[in-house]
Amino acid sequence: MKDAFGIPQSLLVLGGTSEIALATVRRLIARRTRTVWLAGRPSPALETAAADLRAQGADVHTVAFDALDADSHEAALGKIFAEGDVDMVLLAFGVLGDQARDEREPAAAVRVAQTNYTGAVSSGLVAARALQAQGHGSLVVLSSVAGERARRSNFIYGSSKAGLDAFAQGLGDALHDTGVHVMVVRPGFVRSKMTAGLEEAPLATTPEAVAAAIELGLRRRSETVWVPGALRVVMSALRHVPRGLFRRLPL
Amino acid sequence: MPADTVPVTGWGRTAPTAACLIRPRTYEEAAAAVRDCGARGGIPRGLGRAYGDAAQNAGGAVFDMTGLDRIHVIDAAAGIVLCDAGVSLHRLMEVLLPLGWFVPVTPGTRYVTVGGAIGADIHGKNHHVSGSFSRHVLSLELLTADGEIRTVGRDTPLFDATCGGMGLTGMILTATVRLQPVETSLMTVDTERARDLDDLMARLTAGDHRHRYSVAWIDLLARGATTGRAVLTRGDHAPLDALPRGTRARREPLAFRTSRFPAAPAFLPEGLLTRTTVGAFNELWYRRAPRARTGELQRISTFFHPLDGVPHWNRIYGRGGFVQYQFVVGHGQEDAVRRIVRRVSERRCPSFLAVLKRFGDADPGWLSFPVPGWTLALDIPAGLPGLGTFLDELDQEVAAAGGRVYLAKDSRLRPELLAGMYPRLDDFRALRAELDPRGVFVSDLARRLAL
């Protein structure tokens, strides 16, 4: 069960090698979290992540999970929820893609969309139903500021996050007053292996800062969290910039 | 999920979870509700004054007991009442005071049910004299997970597991309670101020035995030399000849009068209770208390239940809610109390309800909270940054001093610390495993702490 500050005792991460997710789990283990399910494609990286978290004193299990294989989600997540209550599900998988290549190869672009959006729709709905049945829990969805307004430089990724973001908001409304809390997290540019080699955007942040914002959001039962918080203002201004001008901005 | 699934929280309004709310009106309906409550079980709930998650059951059933509210028998000669578990202490006072009887133990609110009073084994300002509520319970009827109604007498394991058992042994249907005789419905109250914590503890130690009721309000925002300054209030039931002749009070000495202010509005902004506002309140509260006054006549509601006059006062903490922290440490552990008071003061927690009192002898309930010693209770807004970690540190102090925190108020204890605080926990778990192998009676508190 969560405590009065929204800190979970058991936690399921979809996308178990995500740096933001692991920073979040480390932070939560330091508070109350004792049971962690790391779901992802079987890999040495997943096992290393699990071993790292075990060293912190948590009871960590790894589970095979493939965002692209929507048909398997029901069974994969069902098994976890059958073991006991999950106080928080962190939906953290996602790929950035390579905008230039993805524009040339539509099949690659579709893979980005399927991972980031379709995979989240299917696993998000499965998780939401399980959380609703247990009458409590948080579903934390890692969206992105890129979904707030699509930019020329990464609109394939951005559009997939826009879909995910809209889906998660609607799901949150659907689950209002069911005891289940849906929180959409919109980080800006996060310095991580996903963005390694990319030019840093203004207001860049770190996985640890996102983790801290998630903990605060859990306590406040927030519906949306921006990291850093200043992005809320910046993005709400950018959203209203006219197309012609927006196109010419160096973003 | 059924259509009557609603979000449920405790009085502190933190950590809501959804449950199917069922309100039985008869014992048959109660038995049916327990029988049909489904895989996620059920938990009885009274008037929802437990601060944390003791009367919540995520995804399962919550049995609202306030529909079972009959007073069956009053033996006005012997001072014994037999009533349903859903009867509130407020109702008992209304009925019993005109007959010259008072409830044996009342907490800071009248709006608790008899079932809740037993389940949490509540204590009051008279603990040093009268013990906890269960001391005055002669027997009770318990609907257990197997659907049977058992009569549970004193000095049985089931009685000791149920008193303070947080509703997890079964559903209390009725209780027989011994009452306290009174001549009037007024209190004679002595008030004095203590300039710091040592002064306060000395006064409590020296004078508690002279009064039936005793409590100290502490200003936890006072720092430095005035750390722990307090207003000490002690009282007794006023005898008839203490009431002035020719007054209305003298003509109707047993009338039960209460005052009621408008309810707190449903939506209040976050951060109403800051260090500044609470500091100003505390300053005023301390200053307006007389340095020393004796024999003041006060109504029962004024002396015992000042906050009951403001319905929904818990809303003043805003949407984020609040946590109440109450611990007890034994006599001889005064230093732990001093350390904790100093830490709370230094941290500047905006707490305007902080109460220190001395407990008397413990009662046999396995998970009953009171033990002889010092108990401090404080309310803090849940949104205070770093509060979770801070309270974890206080838990360590309490555990190291051999003390414990109160489950009826808890919403955040680390499960690892529980067994050290409650040595009979394993007995409790074993009895539950035998009595209720399918885990029919379960709550969020039970899941969180693995009770």
Side-chain angles (χ1 to χ4, degrees):
Chain A
M1 299 299 306
K2 283 184 290 185
D3 69 4
F5 308 107
I7 306 292
Q9 289 177 317
S10 60
L11 172 57
L12 163 62
V13 181
L14 301 176
T17 52
S18 146
E19 277 176 78
I20 293 178
L22 292 173
T24 307
V25 178
R26 276 196 295 276
R27 200 178 169 90
L28 294 176
I29 288 175
R31 298 280 287 107
R32 282 288 183 285
T33 305
R34 289 293 166 268
T35 308
V36 180
W37 299 86
L38 285 187
R41 279 189 305 249
S43 71
L46 192 65
E47 294 306 324
T48 311
D52 181 43
L53 296 174
R54 272 184 209 115
Q56 288 205 22
D59 181 17
V60 186
H61 316 268
T62 55
V63 194
F65 170 82
D66 184 354
L68 288 171
D69 184 6
D71 291 339
S72 71
H73 290 175
E74 193 103 52
L77 299 193
K79 247 184 263 168
I80 298 167
F81 279 91
E83 297 275 319
D85 284 12
V86 174
D87 302 336
M88 170 175 155
V89 178
L90 178 56
L91 203 155
F93 59 80
V95 291
L96 188 55
D98 175 338
Q99 177 74 23
R101 185 202 62 203
D102 294 350
E103 282 180 36
R104 288 193 308 274
E105 297 175 24
V110 166
R111 212 157 37 240
V112 172
Q114 283 183 335
T115 308
N116 293 359
Y117 178 66
T118 321
V121 168
S122 116
S123 56
L125 287 173
V126 172
R129 199 177 52 213
L131 292 176
Q132 197 181 347
Q134 70 184 24
H136 73 102
S138 293
L139 174 61
V140 179
V141 178
L142 284 190
S143 176
S144 166
V145 291
E148 191 67 4
R149 185 158 188 187
R151 293 182 288 139
R152 169 68 191 92
S153 58
N154 69 354
F155 67 82
I156 294 172
Y157 172 80
S159 67
S160 72
K161 285 292 187 183
L164 167 68
D165 199 292
F167 165 75
Q169 286 182 58
L171 188 60
D173 292 339
L175 293 175
H176 186 67
D177 273 358
T178 62
V180 181
H181 161 227
V182 179
M183 182 163 87
V184 180
V185 182
R186 296 186 189 135
F189 186 97
V190 181
R191 295 184 201 106
S192 66
K193 64 177 191 253
M194 193 201 238
T195 58
L198 295 182
E199 195 186 332
E200 209 166 272
L203 294 173
T205 184
T206 61
E208 287 70 31
V210 181
I214 289 175
E215 188 188 333
L216 183 66
L218 289 172
R219 191 186 84 201
R220 291 184 173 163
R221 299 204 288 273
S222 307
E223 290 175 324
T224 34
V225 169
W226 298 80
V227 202
L231 276 175
R232 183 190 292 267
V233 185
V234 172
M235 289 313 293
S236 81
L238 274 183
R239 194 166 44 211
H240 296 100
V241 171
R243 274 291 279 288
L245 177 59
F246 187 75
R247 209 172 279 149
R248 269 172 285 164
L249 288 177
L251 292 169
Chain B
M1 283 218 146
D4 47 354
T5 295
V6 291
V8 179
T9 73
W11 191 241
R13 309 211 303 164
T14 56
T17 62
C20 177
L21 205 60
I22 301 167
R23 191 164 183 267
R25 301 296 305 247
T26 63
Y27 303 146
E28 291 71 33
E29 283 180 22
V34 169
R35 200 172 50 238
D36 303 335
C37 67
R40 290 186 68 85
I43 191 76
R45 179 181 174 98
L47 288 161
R49 255 56 173 194
Y51 287 78
D53 48 8
Q56 299 172 219
N57 178 24
V62 166
F63 311 121
D64 175 349
M65 299 301 292
T66 57
L68 289 168
D69 60 351
R70 279 164 299 173
I71 297 175
H72 295 281
V73 180
I74 299 173
D75 183 338
I80 291 169
V81 64
L82 166 61
C83 65
D84 281 348
V87 173
S88 70
L89 297 193
H90 175 80
R91 179 81 190 123
L92 284 182
M93 286 174 209
E94 279 181 340
V95 172
L96 296 171
L97 267 170
L99 303 173
W101 296 99
F102 189 56
V103 294
V105 167
T106 175
T109 172
R110 302 187 294 282
Y111 299 105
V112 297
T113 60
V114 169
I118 297 169
D121 201 12
I122 58 165
H123 56 268
K125 297 175 173 59
N126 56 346
H127 190 276
H128 61 290
V129 176
S130 307
S132 60
F133 196 85
S134 64
R135 188 177 295 181
H136 310 275
V137 176
L138 304 176
S139 75
L140 53 88
E141 286 181 292
L142 187 71
L143 173 63
T144 44
D146 51 17
E148 281 183 37
I149 298 176
R150 299 163 194 240
T151 302
V152 185
R154 296 188 65 83
D155 304 317
T156 59
L158 189 50
F159 187 87
D160 293 346
T162 301
C163 293
M166 307 310 295
L168 295 167
T169 58
M171 180 191 281
I172 299 169
L173 294 177
T174 69
T176 307
V177 182
R178 197 177 43 226
L179 302 164
Q180 165 72 33
V182 291
E183 288 181 22
T184 73
S185 64
L186 291 172
M187 310 295 298
T188 55
V189 181
D190 293 358
T191 309
E192 55 191 293
R193 290 200 302 207
R195 65 183 180 280
D196 60 30
L197 188 62
D198 286 337
D199 183 26
L200 172 64
M201 291 172 97
R203 284 169 193 257
L204 284 170
T205 308
D208 263 8
H209 63 277
R210 286 197 287 271
H211 299 272
R212 177 170 289 275
Y213 301 96
S214 166
V215 72
W217 168 86
I218 300 198
D219 177 6
L220 283 177
L221 279 170
R223 283 182 299 177
T226 59
T227 300
R229 71 176 178 177
V231 178
L232 188 57
T233 322
R234 294 192 278 209
D236 293 278
H237 293 287
L240 188 58
D241 56 21
L243 308 190
R245 288 178 191 284
T247 58
R248 186 167 157 226
R250 183 68 180 245
R251 282 194 302 277
E252 304 168 15
L254 288 165
F256 178 44
R257 297 188 182 90
T258 60
S259 46
R260 211 163 162 87
F261 299 97
F267 297 101
L268 282 166
E270 208 76 3
L272 209 59
L273 299 184
T274 63
R275 281 162 197 159
T276 317
T277 58
V278 175
F281 169 86
N282 284 5
E283 187 69 36
L284 198 73
W285 200 251
Y286 181 77
R287 296 277 168 211
R288 80 181 263 285
R291 256 177 235 289
R293 178 171 60 196
T294 55
E296 184 196 2
L297 288 174
Q298 281 186 2
R299 288 179 187 175
I300 275 169
S301 56
T302 312
F303 181 71
F304 289 104
H305 318 116
L307 283 167
D308 280 349
V310 186
H312 302 293
W313 65 262
N314 56 339
R315 288 175 182 162
I316 60 174
Y317 287 92
R319 209 176 67 94
F322 68 106
V323 295
Q324 176 153 102
Y325 189 70
Q326 181 164 11
F327 69 89
V328 59
V329 292
H331 291 300
Q333 296 292 341
E334 286 75 12
D335 276 347
V337 177
R338 287 192 192 97
R339 273 197 301 276
I340 291 174
V341 166
R342 199 179 325 115
R343 290 183 69 158
V344 175
S345 300
E346 278 165 6
R347 195 177 167 94
R348 315 275 288 139
C349 289
S351 174
F352 73 100
L353 281 173
V355 165
L356 184 73
K357 115 150 232 92
R358 276 159 57 92
F359 278 154
D361 292 342
D363 286 278
W366 290 348
L367 298 188
S368 177
F369 169 65
V371 289
W374 299 88
T375 181
L376 178 70
L378 52 143
D379 284 3
I380 315 174
L384 198 71
L387 182 60
T389 318
F390 178 63
L391 293 180
D392 286 348
E393 290 165 17
L394 296 193
D395 285 344
Q396 296 290 356
E397 288 263 13
V398 169
R404 53 173 64 155
V405 300
Y406 190 11
L407 294 181
K409 297 185 171 178
D410 178 55
S411 55
R412 28 78 36 211
L413 180 69
R414 271 177 196 268
E416 303 91 279
L417 289 176
L418 190 70
M421 292 180 168
Y422 288 92
R424 301 297 301 269
L425 181 63
D426 282 341
D427 295 327
F428 183 77
R429 284 176 175 152
L431 180 136
R432 266 189 85 207
E434 195 180 327
L435 186 71
D436 182 5
R438 288 186 304 126
V440 171
F441 288 98
V442 66
S443 62
D444 288 0
L445 175 83
R447 287 195 182 93
R448 184 167 55 81
L449 295 177
L451 287 177

